[in-house]
mmCIF file of all heavy atoms in Angstrom:
data_model
loop_
_atom_site.group_PDB
_atom_site.id
_atom_site.type_symbol
_atom_site.label_atom_id
_atom_site.label_comp_id
_atom_site.label_asym_id
_atom_site.label_seq_id
_atom_site.Cartn_x
_atom_site.Cartn_y
_atom_site.Cartn_z
ATOM 1 N N ASN A 292 -24.129 43.182 -165.976
ATOM 2 C CA ASN A 292 -23.825 44.367 -166.838
ATOM 3 C C ASN A 292 -22.375 44.797 -166.549
ATOM 4 O O ASN A 292 -22.040 45.274 -165.587
ATOM 5 C CB ASN A 292 -24.806 45.555 -166.442
ATOM 6 C CG ASN A 292 -24.771 46.752 -167.370
ATOM 7 O OD1 ASN A 292 -23.511 46.891 -167.976
ATOM 8 N ND2 ASN A 292 -25.641 47.405 -167.518
ATOM 9 N N THR A 293 -21.545 44.255 -167.587
ATOM 10 C CA THR A 293 -20.077 44.519 -167.432
ATOM 11 C C THR A 293 -19.784 45.944 -167.478
ATOM 12 O O THR A 293 -18.641 46.291 -166.917
ATOM 13 C CB THR A 293 -19.416 43.730 -168.449
ATOM 14 O OG1 THR A 293 -19.975 44.038 -169.825
ATOM 15 C CG2 THR A 293 -19.460 42.236 -168.308
ATOM 16 N N SER A 294 -20.578 46.864 -167.995
ATOM 17 C CA SER A 294 -20.315 48.258 -168.023
ATOM 18 C C SER A 294 -20.158 48.969 -166.650
ATOM 19 O O SER A 294 -19.771 49.931 -166.441
ATOM 20 C CB SER A 294 -21.206 49.077 -168.954
ATOM 21 O OG SER A 294 -22.448 49.097 -168.340
ATOM 22 N N LYS A 295 -20.883 48.173 -165.760
ATOM 23 C CA LYS A 295 -20.905 48.693 -164.320
ATOM 24 C C LYS A 295 -19.993 48.071 -163.236
ATOM 25 O O LYS A 295 -19.977 48.301 -162.191
ATOM 26 C CB LYS A 295 -22.377 48.483 -163.747
ATOM 27 C CG LYS A 295 -23.392 49.247 -164.518
ATOM 28 C CD LYS A 295 -24.807 49.125 -163.881
ATOM 29 C CE LYS A 295 -25.732 50.065 -164.684
ATOM 30 N NZ LYS A 295 -27.197 49.861 -164.035
ATOM 31 N N MET A 296 -19.091 47.222 -163.961
ATOM 32 C CA MET A 296 -18.089 46.490 -163.137
ATOM 33 C C MET A 296 -16.769 47.267 -163.090
ATOM 34 O O MET A 296 -16.283 47.839 -164.088
ATOM 35 C CB MET A 296 -17.778 45.201 -163.752
ATOM 36 C CG MET A 296 -18.896 44.026 -163.535
ATOM 37 S SD MET A 296 -18.350 42.580 -164.458
ATOM 38 C CE MET A 296 -19.612 41.546 -163.758
ATOM 39 N N ALA A 297 -16.205 47.531 -161.874
ATOM 40 C CA ALA A 297 -14.925 48.131 -161.755
ATOM 41 C C ALA A 297 -13.776 47.377 -162.454
ATOM 42 O O ALA A 297 -12.930 48.079 -163.073
ATOM 43 C CB ALA A 297 -14.630 48.300 -160.235
ATOM 44 N N ASP A 298 -13.783 46.034 -162.386
ATOM 45 C CA ASP A 298 -12.813 45.286 -163.014
ATOM 46 C C ASP A 298 -13.558 43.949 -163.576
ATOM 47 O O ASP A 298 -13.878 43.016 -162.898
ATOM 48 C CB ASP A 298 -11.689 44.758 -161.963
ATOM 49 C CG ASP A 298 -10.601 44.124 -162.735
ATOM 50 O OD1 ASP A 298 -10.886 43.283 -163.596
ATOM 51 O OD2 ASP A 298 -9.411 44.249 -162.320
ATOM 52 N N GLN A 299 -13.862 44.157 -164.866
ATOM 53 C CA GLN A 299 -14.756 43.024 -165.504
ATOM 54 C C GLN A 299 -14.104 41.739 -165.411
ATOM 55 O O GLN A 299 -14.873 40.817 -165.032
ATOM 56 C CB GLN A 299 -14.870 43.452 -167.089
ATOM 57 C CG GLN A 299 -15.579 44.757 -167.287
ATOM 58 C CD GLN A 299 -15.881 45.029 -168.778
ATOM 59 O OE1 GLN A 299 -15.629 44.191 -169.583
ATOM 60 N NE2 GLN A 299 -16.250 46.221 -169.018
ATOM 61 N N GLU A 300 -12.817 41.553 -165.673
ATOM 62 C CA GLU A 300 -12.254 40.156 -165.684
ATOM 63 C C GLU A 300 -12.265 39.620 -164.281
ATOM 64 O O GLU A 300 -12.459 38.530 -164.074
ATOM 65 C CB GLU A 300 -10.858 40.257 -166.236
ATOM 66 C CG GLU A 300 -10.915 40.511 -167.853
ATOM 67 C CD GLU A 300 -9.550 40.424 -168.455
ATOM 68 O OE1 GLU A 300 -8.674 39.779 -168.030
ATOM 69 O OE2 GLU A 300 -9.277 41.267 -169.359
ATOM 70 N N GLU A 301 -11.824 40.449 -163.286
ATOM 71 C CA GLU A 301 -11.747 39.958 -161.925
ATOM 72 C C GLU A 301 -13.119 39.531 -161.428
ATOM 73 O O GLU A 301 -13.296 38.440 -160.809
ATOM 74 C CB GLU A 301 -11.167 41.089 -161.082
ATOM 75 C CG GLU A 301 -11.043 40.709 -159.537
ATOM 76 C CD GLU A 301 -10.443 41.818 -158.600
ATOM 77 O OE1 GLU A 301 -9.678 42.566 -159.209
ATOM 78 O OE2 GLU A 301 -10.908 41.922 -157.536
ATOM 79 N N GLU A 302 -14.127 40.267 -161.668
ATOM 80 C CA GLU A 302 -15.536 39.996 -161.235
ATOM 81 C C GLU A 302 -16.054 38.980 -161.909
ATOM 82 O O GLU A 302 -16.782 37.976 -161.359
ATOM 83 C CB GLU A 302 -16.441 41.318 -161.337
ATOM 84 C CG GLU A 302 -15.957 42.284 -160.278
ATOM 85 C CD GLU A 302 -16.879 43.683 -160.394
ATOM 86 O OE1 GLU A 302 -18.083 43.415 -160.303
ATOM 87 O OE2 GLU A 302 -16.358 44.810 -160.548
ATOM 88 N N LEU A 303 -15.827 38.734 -163.183
ATOM 89 C CA LEU A 303 -16.420 37.553 -163.941
ATOM 90 C C LEU A 303 -15.602 36.310 -163.488
ATOM 91 O O LEU A 303 -16.285 35.187 -163.348
ATOM 92 C CB LEU A 303 -16.214 37.744 -165.464
ATOM 93 C CG LEU A 303 -17.047 38.814 -166.113
ATOM 94 C CD1 LEU A 303 -16.633 39.104 -167.547
ATOM 95 C CD2 LEU A 303 -18.611 38.323 -166.135
ATOM 96 N N MET A 304 -14.342 36.440 -163.320
ATOM 97 C CA MET A 304 -13.595 35.314 -162.765
ATOM 98 C C MET A 304 -14.019 34.771 -161.405
ATOM 99 O O MET A 304 -14.239 33.619 -161.100
ATOM 100 C CB MET A 304 -12.170 35.573 -162.728
ATOM 101 C CG MET A 304 -11.203 34.427 -162.275
ATOM 102 S SD MET A 304 -11.276 33.023 -163.481
ATOM 103 C CE MET A 304 -10.176 33.698 -164.710
ATOM 104 N N ALA A 305 -14.565 35.923 -160.599
ATOM 105 C CA ALA A 305 -14.924 35.527 -159.269
ATOM 106 C C ALA A 305 -16.216 34.698 -159.211
ATOM 107 O O ALA A 305 -16.435 33.846 -158.333
ATOM 108 C CB ALA A 305 -15.152 36.781 -158.404
#
Side-chain angles (χ1 to χ4, degrees):
N292 187 331
T293 51
S294 70
K295 296 183 176 181
M296 290 180 167
D298 187 319
Q299 295 181 13
E300 290 180 36
E301 181 180 325
E302 293 182 49
L303 288 171
M304 185 66 79

